[in-house]
Amino acid sequence: MKILVLGLDCAAPEILFGDERLTNIRRLMSLGAWGRLESVIPPITVPAWMCYATSQDPGSLGVYGFRNRTDHSYAGLGFATSRSIQELAIWDQLAREGKRSIILGVPPNFPPRKVNGISVGCFLTPSTSDPSVPYTYPPEIAAEIADLVGEYETDVKGFRTNDKAWLRDSIFRMSKKFWTVVQDFASRDDWDYFQCVDIGLDRVHHGFWKYHDPEHVLHEPDSPFKDVIRDYYLHLDHEIGRVLAQLDENTVVLVMSDHGARRLDGGFCINEWLVREKLLVLHEYPKAVTPFEKLKVNWAETRAWSEGGYYARIFLNVKGREAEGRIGGSAEDYGGFRDELRSRLEAVVPGTLVFKPEEIYKTVKNVAPDLIVHFGGLAYRSIGGVGYDSADPSIRRSAELVILENDTGPDDCNHAQFGAFILASGNLPLQGEIEGARLLDLAPTLLELVGSDVPSSMQGRSLIGAAVRGELTLDQEQIIRERLSGLGYLG
Ligand SMILES: [Zn+2]
């Protein structure tokens, strides 16, 4: 049996399952099992897609976002690349059994992974037209793609823009090229595992959510862009239908997202808050809003600082760990300080969640943040810049440190903890809506369905075993008993 994984970056379950016009999606739902899919913490594209593929949490991969501290210096953060993640992925396990894979745009995939088959770079690809820096493996695949679509595009550069007509047209153009390649490659018979990730959906959500969602603080009800998001789902449904039409019945089909989407209510200025609390100490308070890396930080007096982004990563300045560490160093000082900071952060915006890495990850590798914060349950971004006390007060949403504007450009949407999945296969013993599936569960489930070994490094559970053990919410009729015996559950 073969496996086809259609990745829809950021697909929101309420739209994917709620729009009856998505006829190919509904056909898959009626054939198989589907439901919300709990993502990892943080629910971010890097590392989430590789958490799926390896069935390991971010701490075990040692990758906590697009950018990570590479050591305990104050030198800032390094970008994750495909080389940041060496753990065994589902396609590696299949390669051990001699099976071939095609992976298209699965982040992070630059430089392109060397798989037993074909690999095409993701949105982190700097250029698709520079043959000295190949974005495909093997490199000659790039010429085949150029024959199909001309200049292949892996992302819309500058997608945080107010030129929405340009953005809409650019995303659709990129996505049509992408699906042309997907359909051509999927029609070949030289793969056992095929996975692609459409990044256009993520860009559409971030660029157009305020027109789509009446609850958004900046909603414009009569905007010409009000249907762009729904139109994009229709486009995806059409393209998915064309891929499905090429498959034979011995294919397990998984449609999935790495996380969901939700409206963004604003941003919380985390470093500004740390300055006010005298935990982040500056030699000089800036006269205008200034990115964190350009601030003159008095490290010897600083206890904590943070990165901005969809969530906050708080780093503590610890004696014996950081060069100019300020916090005690003994476990008690560190632990006591961190617990107190956690409580204070939980109170800054209602619904805020604060996580300690060792509480949510099986292991904690590389340099993890000391705390991970989802402001307002991801209703608010984390704003890393400082200088809002000098800035025009009208950008404030409230007297507190919540602002409407985003410091990295227009953005209407944040990621949500729950993405979506639809799994359809002739031998799947599950049917209908299932509650309780997690991102890490899918790779073991797929391997089980095709009769492959599940490597011990994988941390998720097969959804089939979980259903049999009663760990998922579903009706007993949703378990199809005669198919369980084919998978060895009924002796
Ligand atoms: Zn994503």
Side-chain angles (χ1 to χ4, degrees):
M1 287 188 79
K2 300 162 88 167
I3 298 170
L4 175 88
V5 181
L6 302 176
L8 310 179
D9 198 292
C10 203
E14 61 274 24
I15 303 177
L16 197 66
F17 302 144
D19 190 334
E20 301 207 339
R21 299 173 302 164
L22 306 177
T23 52
N24 292 300
I25 291 293
R26 299 197 91 72
R27 185 157 58 91
L28 281 176
M29 288 163 68
S30 70
L31 290 172
W34 55 276
R36 300 199 307 161
L37 183 67
E38 186 175 359
S39 189
V40 290
I41 297 168
I44 301 294
T45 306
V46 173
W49 282 111
M50 286 307 292
C51 292
Y52 150 75
T54 61
S55 187
Q56 295 198 40
D57 63 42
S60 304
L61 298 180
V63 176
Y64 303 91
F66 284 99
R67 301 190 308 141
N68 296 274
R69 283 180 88 185
T70 51
D71 54 33
H72 282 105
S73 74
Y74 305 117
L77 292 88
F79 278 93
T81 73
S82 56
R83 295 193 181 110
S84 310
I85 298 168
Q86 303 290 343
E87 280 76 2
L88 192 81
I90 182 170
W91 50 79
D92 299 317
Q93 174 61 28
L94 292 166
R96 287 176 166 182
E97 300 168 17
K99 294 182 176 176
R100 292 171 56 80
S101 294
I102 297 178
I103 58 169
L104 278 162
V106 182
N109 198 28
F110 191 85
R113 287 170 197 286
K114 294 186 169 112
V115 299
N116 183 30
I118 293 170
S119 140
V120 176
C122 70
F123 65 91
L124 296 167
T125 299
S127 165
T128 59
S129 55
D130 179 357
S132 69
V133 190
Y135 78 99
T136 65
Y137 174 83
E140 55 271 24
I141 294 298
E144 293 180 35
I145 292 174
D147 284 344
L148 284 168
V149 298
E151 190 185 341
Y152 185 68
E153 299 171 63
T154 54
D155 200 0
V156 175
K157 306 275 183 240
F159 68 90
R160 289 205 175 92
T161 173
N162 282 316
D163 188 348
K164 299 298 184 185
W166 173 85
L167 178 61
R168 175 197 58 203
D169 296 347
S170 300
I171 295 171
F172 273 90
R173 184 187 64 231
M174 167 180 73
S175 185
K176 282 173 183 161
K177 290 180 182 179
F178 172 79
W179 286 97
T180 298
V181 175
V182 169
Q183 282 145 15
D184 185 86
F185 282 26
S187 71
R188 304 175 180 193
D189 55 7
D190 61 348
W191 56 269
D192 302 287
Y193 179 87
F194 186 105
Q195 184 183 357
C196 63
V197 174
D198 180 282
I199 196 66
L201 183 58
D202 179 85
R203 304 319 188 215
V204 160
H205 283 162
H206 287 292
F208 295 92
W209 198 269
K210 72 180 173 196
Y211 309 110
H212 158 81
D213 184 351
E215 305 287 311
H216 196 284
V217 285
L218 300 173
H219 183 57
E220 296 173 23
D222 299 320
S223 164
F225 304 112
K226 68 178 174 11
D227 292 326
V228 171
I229 286 181
R230 298 237 173 232
D231 289 347
Y232 196 84
Y233 278 84
L234 282 170
H235 149 74
L236 288 175
D237 188 71
H238 172 73
E239 300 290 355
I240 288 169
R242 293 176 61 186
V243 179
L244 298 180
Q246 302 172 352
L247 300 179
D248 63 47
E249 58 197 29
N250 292 322
T251 309
V252 181
V253 177
L254 172 64
V255 175
M256 64 173 291
S257 56
D258 52 339
H259 48 75
R262 57 154 301 147
R263 73 169 194 271
L264 192 60
D265 290 341
F268 182 77
C269 301
I270 178 62
N271 279 322
E272 191 80 54
W273 182 82
L274 289 167
V275 168
R276 285 191 185 179
E277 299 291 312
K278 300 188 168 49
L279 299 173
L280 168 58
V281 180
L282 305 179
H283 286 299
E284 189 181 306
Y285 187 82
K287 292 187 178 62
V289 175
T290 304
F292 177 79
E293 53 275 14
K294 294 197 175 144
L295 295 171
K296 296 192 173 80
V297 177
N298 179 347
W299 288 109
E301 295 299 323
T302 287
R303 289 182 172 82
W305 76 100
S306 179
E307 271 294 307
Y310 293 123
Y311 61 108
R313 279 163 291 172
I314 310 275
F315 303 112
L316 302 187
N317 195 21
V318 180
K319 270 185 192 152
R321 195 181 78 176
E322 276 77 13
E324 295 181 73
R326 179 72 173 74
I327 298 167
S330 76
E332 195 179 2
D333 279 343
Y334 172 79
F337 178 86
R338 192 167 61 143
D339 285 341
E340 195 204 322
L341 181 59
R342 176 190 207 164
S343 306
R344 286 158 75 182
L345 283 166
E346 282 168 344
V348 294
V349 178
T352 294
L353 303 170
V354 187
F355 305 99
K356 293 179 184 175
E358 71 274 20
E359 290 178 353
I360 53 173
Y361 302 137
K362 194 169 179 191
T363 53
V364 179
K365 290 188 185 159
N366 298 336
V367 185
D370 293 283
L371 292 170
I372 294 167
V373 187
H374 292 182
F375 289 112
L378 298 171
Y380 302 94
R381 287 176 63 93
S382 158
I383 304 288
V386 171
Y388 290 92
D389 279 340
S390 309
D392 176 355
S394 69
I395 69 167
R396 296 271 184 78
R397 230 191 125 197
S398 70
E400 298 314 312
L401 291 168
V402 171
I403 61 166
L404 268 183
E405 285 172 26
N406 173 30
D407 56 352
T408 55
D411 197 333
D412 300 345
C413 148
N414 204 350
H415 295 177
Q417 198 66 49
F418 285 87
F421 80 98
I422 308 166
L423 181 60
S425 161
N427 65 340
L428 182 68
L430 305 174
Q431 183 98 50
E433 184 173 8
I434 286 171
E435 188 66 41
R438 301 189 288 245
L439 186 66
L440 272 51
D441 296 339
L442 293 176
T445 306
L446 291 172
L447 289 169
E448 179 172 29
L449 284 171
V450 299
S452 292
D453 291 337
V454 179
S456 59
S457 59
M458 291 195 168
Q459 297 168 356
R461 12 153 237 183
S462 162
L463 291 176
I464 300 150
V468 169
R469 292 191 300 273
E471 294 167 13
L472 303 171
T473 306
L474 75 179
D475 297 331
Q476 278 310 297
E477 307 87 80
Q478 289 177 254
I479 296 186
I480 302 168
R481 297 258 152 220
E482 78 269 16
R483 293 190 197 162
L484 284 178
S485 59
L487 292 164
Y489 282 91
L490 299 179

